[in-house]
Amino acid sequence: MGKKSPEQIEGELGRAGLSQDKVKRVMGFADIGGDADKVLPDLEKKLPKNDLISKGLQELRGTIDDVDSLGKRSKVQVDLRIVRGISYYDGTVFEAYDQAGEDVGAVFGGGRFDRLCRIYGKRDIPATGVAGGFERLMISLEKKGLLPDLEQNPQVYVAMAGEEVRDETIKVLRALRESGLRADRDLKERPLKKQMDYAASAKVRIVVIVGPRELKEGNVRLRDMKTGEERNVSKNRVVDEISKILA
């Protein structure tokens, strides 16, 4: 409910058919939140007594007890301001926040929808769903400095000198990747010059040129983009030779 002002919420409740008295009662409950040990007894006193409410409180207490058994009770609060998908959720709903950055919003949320499956099937199926906010999670990780500083550019570029060596090019690429090297090739399979131009623009250190002439001798051609040096090496030793250069 924090996404809208109290006036907007009261207006929507009124348009939904609630009397002014009921709107005030709902808004009063929306201010309730905090530690479960304080909130749940307070709710039990304030809520009217009927089977549906008793069942809801029982489920909520059961959820808190389950969280307690996992040793995470201190990280959970009961908050009656949370409103999610009232057209299909039919039980407890929840949201998770970064404790150090609530301004980001919920990083994920969900709830129970035991009767939702009947819409698409023939019967109710007990179910709980959750969806995460990828962008919000990334913002939280970035704020805490938890995003790893990963190198993204390839270390090695495998260039194909002719369509007839395509399969061998892929085999070389696979061998490099399996050894832990960041390797890439041109999926568009452009002419060799275009491939070399791309490798230079991507600041790739080593280019492996796979050509029919070299392959006949069991070799590939290595080009060190830093020094400009070129030499033939055995195809079976290409991983070792590149590893030495990059060490």
Side-chain angles (χ1 to χ4, degrees), residues 1-14 23 27 30-31:
M1 296 177 80
K3 296 178 181 178
K4 296 184 178 182
S5 68
E7 292 75 18
Q8 288 175 312
I9 297 170
E10 288 177 9
E12 290 192 15
L13 292 173
V23 169
M27 295 302 293
D31 291 331

Side-chain angles (χ1 to χ4, degrees), residues 96-108:
Y97 292 83
D98 179 351
Q99 289 180 315
E102 291 192 2
D103 56 308
V104 175
V107 292
F108 69 80

Side-chain angles (χ1 to χ4, degrees), residues 120-139:
Y120 303 101
K122 295 182 179 180
R123 62 189 178 89
D124 296 337
I125 299 177
T128 300
V130 61
F134 181 76
E135 290 183 358
R136 291 180 177 184
L137 183 59
M138 295 296 286
I139 291 171

